[in-house]
PDB file of all heavy atoms in Angstrom:
ATOM      1  N   THR A 642       7.106  16.407  14.179  1.00  0.00           N
ATOM      2  CA  THR A 642       7.191  14.956  14.073  1.00  0.00           C
ATOM      3  C   THR A 642       6.002  14.315  14.840  1.00  0.00           C
ATOM      4  O   THR A 642       5.369  13.388  14.372  1.00  0.00           O
ATOM      5  CB  THR A 642       8.501  14.421  14.610  1.00  0.00           C
ATOM      6  OG1 THR A 642       9.574  14.973  13.824  1.00  0.00           O
ATOM      7  CG2 THR A 642       8.574  12.906  14.490  1.00  0.00           C
ATOM      8  N   LYS A 643       5.776  14.791  16.085  1.00  0.00           N
ATOM      9  CA  LYS A 643       4.687  14.279  16.872  1.00  0.00           C
ATOM     10  C   LYS A 643       3.340  14.528  16.153  1.00  0.00           C
ATOM     11  O   LYS A 643       2.471  13.645  16.148  1.00  0.00           O
ATOM     12  CB  LYS A 643       4.662  14.984  18.246  1.00  0.00           C
ATOM     13  CG  LYS A 643       5.745  14.515  19.209  1.00  0.00           C
ATOM     14  CD  LYS A 643       5.553  15.204  20.567  1.00  0.00           C
ATOM     15  CE  LYS A 643       6.597  14.802  21.538  1.00  0.00           C
ATOM     16  NZ  LYS A 643       6.453  15.483  22.874  1.00  0.00           N
ATOM     17  N   PHE A 644       3.169  15.767  15.687  1.00  0.00           N
ATOM     18  CA  PHE A 644       1.891  16.079  15.043  1.00  0.00           C
ATOM     19  C   PHE A 644       1.653  15.240  13.809  1.00  0.00           C
ATOM     20  O   PHE A 644       0.537  14.685  13.590  1.00  0.00           O
ATOM     21  CB  PHE A 644       1.800  17.548  14.687  1.00  0.00           C
ATOM     22  CG  PHE A 644       0.397  18.010  14.316  1.00  0.00           C
ATOM     23  CD1 PHE A 644      -0.411  18.638  15.276  1.00  0.00           C
ATOM     24  CD2 PHE A 644      -0.068  17.865  13.033  1.00  0.00           C
ATOM     25  CE1 PHE A 644      -1.675  19.043  14.939  1.00  0.00           C
ATOM     26  CE2 PHE A 644      -1.362  18.258  12.675  1.00  0.00           C
ATOM     27  CZ  PHE A 644      -2.127  18.887  13.674  1.00  0.00           C
ATOM     28  N   ILE A 645       2.650  15.100  12.969  1.00  0.00           N
ATOM     29  CA  ILE A 645       2.534  14.353  11.722  1.00  0.00           C
ATOM     30  C   ILE A 645       2.249  12.893  12.037  1.00  0.00           C
ATOM     31  O   ILE A 645       1.368  12.267  11.357  1.00  0.00           O
ATOM     32  CB  ILE A 645       3.794  14.504  10.872  1.00  0.00           C
ATOM     33  CG1 ILE A 645       3.818  15.940  10.298  1.00  0.00           C
ATOM     34  CG2 ILE A 645       3.850  13.490   9.765  1.00  0.00           C
ATOM     35  CD1 ILE A 645       5.178  16.249   9.627  1.00  0.00           C
ATOM     36  N   THR A 646       2.934  12.305  12.978  1.00  0.00           N
ATOM     37  CA  THR A 646       2.687  10.913  13.381  1.00  0.00           C
ATOM     38  C   THR A 646       1.275  10.705  13.786  1.00  0.00           C
ATOM     39  O   THR A 646       0.583   9.746  13.346  1.00  0.00           O
ATOM     40  CB  THR A 646       3.629  10.490  14.470  1.00  0.00           C
ATOM     41  OG1 THR A 646       4.984  10.597  14.014  1.00  0.00           O
ATOM     42  CG2 THR A 646       3.414   9.005  14.872  1.00  0.00           C
ATOM     43  N   ALA A 647       0.755  11.605  14.678  1.00  0.00           N
ATOM     44  CA  ALA A 647      -0.643  11.496  15.111  1.00  0.00           C
ATOM     45  C   ALA A 647      -1.595  11.746  14.002  1.00  0.00           C
ATOM     46  O   ALA A 647      -2.641  11.065  13.896  1.00  0.00           O
ATOM     47  CB  ALA A 647      -0.856  12.521  16.255  1.00  0.00           C
ATOM     48  N   TYR A 648      -1.285  12.658  13.120  1.00  0.00           N
ATOM     49  CA  TYR A 648      -2.177  12.981  11.950  1.00  0.00           C
ATOM     50  C   TYR A 648      -2.282  11.778  11.018  1.00  0.00           C
ATOM     51  O   TYR A 648      -3.365  11.378  10.601  1.00  0.00           O
ATOM     52  CB  TYR A 648      -1.575  14.181  11.194  1.00  0.00           C
ATOM     53  CG  TYR A 648      -2.304  14.580   9.958  1.00  0.00           C
ATOM     54  CD1 TYR A 648      -3.464  15.394   9.979  1.00  0.00           C
ATOM     55  CD2 TYR A 648      -1.854  14.171   8.666  1.00  0.00           C
ATOM     56  CE1 TYR A 648      -4.149  15.751   8.837  1.00  0.00           C
ATOM     57  CE2 TYR A 648      -2.480  14.554   7.548  1.00  0.00           C
ATOM     58  CZ  TYR A 648      -3.645  15.311   7.596  1.00  0.00           C
ATOM     59  OH  TYR A 648      -4.289  15.669   6.438  1.00  0.00           O
ATOM     60  N   GLU A 649      -1.171  11.170  10.682  1.00  0.00           N
ATOM     61  CA  GLU A 649      -1.181   9.993   9.781  1.00  0.00           C
ATOM     62  C   GLU A 649      -1.931   8.863  10.430  1.00  0.00           C
ATOM     63  O   GLU A 649      -2.683   8.136   9.758  1.00  0.00           O
ATOM     64  CB  GLU A 649       0.277   9.581   9.474  1.00  0.00           C
ATOM     65  CG  GLU A 649       1.009  10.544   8.526  1.00  0.00           C
ATOM     66  CD  GLU A 649       0.483  10.468   7.122  1.00  0.00           C
ATOM     67  OE1 GLU A 649       0.662   9.434   6.442  1.00  0.00           O
ATOM     68  OE2 GLU A 649      -0.219  11.412   6.664  1.00  0.00           O
ATOM     69  N   ASP A 650      -1.760   8.614  11.744  1.00  0.00           N
ATOM     70  CA  ASP A 650      -2.512   7.584  12.457  1.00  0.00           C
ATOM     71  C   ASP A 650      -4.029   7.902  12.458  1.00  0.00           C
ATOM     72  O   ASP A 650      -4.826   6.979  12.316  1.00  0.00           O
ATOM     73  CB  ASP A 650      -2.007   7.472  13.906  1.00  0.00           C
ATOM     74  CG  ASP A 650      -0.601   6.831  13.988  1.00  0.00           C
ATOM     75  OD1 ASP A 650      -0.220   6.217  12.984  1.00  0.00           O
ATOM     76  OD2 ASP A 650       0.031   6.971  15.023  1.00  0.00           O
ATOM     77  N   PHE A 651      -4.364   9.138  12.606  1.00  0.00           N
ATOM     78  CA  PHE A 651      -5.771   9.554  12.600  1.00  0.00           C
ATOM     79  C   PHE A 651      -6.427   9.221  11.290  1.00  0.00           C
ATOM     80  O   PHE A 651      -7.563   8.693  11.222  1.00  0.00           O
ATOM     81  CB  PHE A 651      -5.915  11.025  12.935  1.00  0.00           C
ATOM     82  CG  PHE A 651      -7.286  11.511  13.279  1.00  0.00           C
ATOM     83  CD1 PHE A 651      -7.696  11.693  14.578  1.00  0.00           C
ATOM     84  CD2 PHE A 651      -8.264  11.656  12.238  1.00  0.00           C
ATOM     85  CE1 PHE A 651      -8.975  12.114  14.869  1.00  0.00           C
ATOM     86  CE2 PHE A 651      -9.516  12.058  12.568  1.00  0.00           C
ATOM     87  CZ  PHE A 651      -9.938  12.261  13.858  1.00  0.00           C
ATOM     88  N   LEU A 652      -5.720   9.516  10.186  1.00  0.00           N
ATOM     89  CA  LEU A 652      -6.300   9.263   8.845  1.00  0.00           C
ATOM     90  C   LEU A 652      -6.556   7.786   8.644  1.00  0.00           C
ATOM     91  O   LEU A 652      -7.426   7.425   7.821  1.00  0.00           O
ATOM     92  CB  LEU A 652      -5.375   9.802   7.764  1.00  0.00           C
ATOM     93  CG  LEU A 652      -5.208  11.300   7.672  1.00  0.00           C
ATOM     94  CD1 LEU A 652      -4.259  11.663   6.518  1.00  0.00           C
ATOM     95  CD2 LEU A 652      -6.563  11.998   7.428  1.00  0.00           C
ATOM     96  N   LYS A 653      -5.812   6.931   9.351  1.00  0.00           N
ATOM     97  CA  LYS A 653      -5.996   5.487   9.137  1.00  0.00           C
ATOM     98  C   LYS A 653      -7.150   4.939  10.007  1.00  0.00           C
ATOM     99  O   LYS A 653      -7.608   3.815   9.786  1.00  0.00           O
ATOM    100  CB  LYS A 653      -4.680   4.744   9.522  1.00  0.00           C
ATOM    101  CG  LYS A 653      -3.522   5.055   8.644  1.00  0.00           C
ATOM    102  CD  LYS A 653      -2.235   4.438   9.169  1.00  0.00           C
ATOM    103  CE  LYS A 653      -1.032   4.875   8.361  1.00  0.00           C
ATOM    104  NZ  LYS A 653       0.229   4.373   8.935  1.00  0.00           N
ATOM    105  N   ASN A 654      -7.592   5.713  11.017  1.00  0.00           N
ATOM    106  CA  ASN A 654      -8.711   5.271  11.839  1.00  0.00           C
ATOM    107  C   ASN A 654      -9.947   5.065  10.977  1.00  0.00           C
ATOM    108  O   ASN A 654     -10.118   5.751   9.968  1.00  0.00           O
ATOM    109  CB  ASN A 654      -9.008   6.284  12.924  1.00  0.00           C
ATOM    110  CG  ASN A 654      -7.958   6.310  14.019  1.00  0.00           C
ATOM    111  OD1 ASN A 654      -7.238   5.352  14.186  1.00  0.00           O
ATOM    112  ND2 ASN A 654      -7.908   7.441  14.706  1.00  0.00           N
ATOM    113  N   THR A 655     -10.796   4.143  11.361  1.00  0.00           N
ATOM    114  CA  THR A 655     -11.968   3.807  10.577  1.00  0.00           C
ATOM    115  C   THR A 655     -13.269   4.069  11.359  1.00  0.00           C
ATOM    116  O   THR A 655     -13.285   4.032  12.561  1.00  0.00           O
ATOM    117  CB  THR A 655     -11.943   2.341  10.122  1.00  0.00           C
ATOM    118  OG1 THR A 655     -11.948   1.480  11.265  1.00  0.00           O
ATOM    119  CG2 THR A 655     -10.742   2.074   9.252  1.00  0.00           C
ATOM    120  N   ILE A 656     -14.314   4.349  10.599  1.00  0.00           N
ATOM    121  CA  ILE A 656     -15.635   4.468  11.160  1.00  0.00           C
ATOM    122  C   ILE A 656     -16.588   3.710  10.223  1.00  0.00           C
ATOM    123  O   ILE A 656     -16.256   3.449   9.045  1.00  0.00           O
ATOM    124  CB  ILE A 656     -16.120   5.924  11.291  1.00  0.00           C
ATOM    125  CG1 ILE A 656     -16.071   6.617   9.904  1.00  0.00           C
ATOM    126  CG2 ILE A 656     -15.303   6.692  12.332  1.00  0.00           C
ATOM    127  CD1 ILE A 656     -16.772   7.943   9.931  1.00  0.00           C
TER     128      ILE A 656
END
Side-chain angles (χ1 to χ4, degrees):
T642 301
K643 285 183 181 180
F644 193 96
I645 288 169
T646 299
Y648 177 82
E649 288 288 291
D650 288 342
F651 193 102
L652 291 181
K653 296 173 186 175
N654 288 338
T655 60
I656 57 169

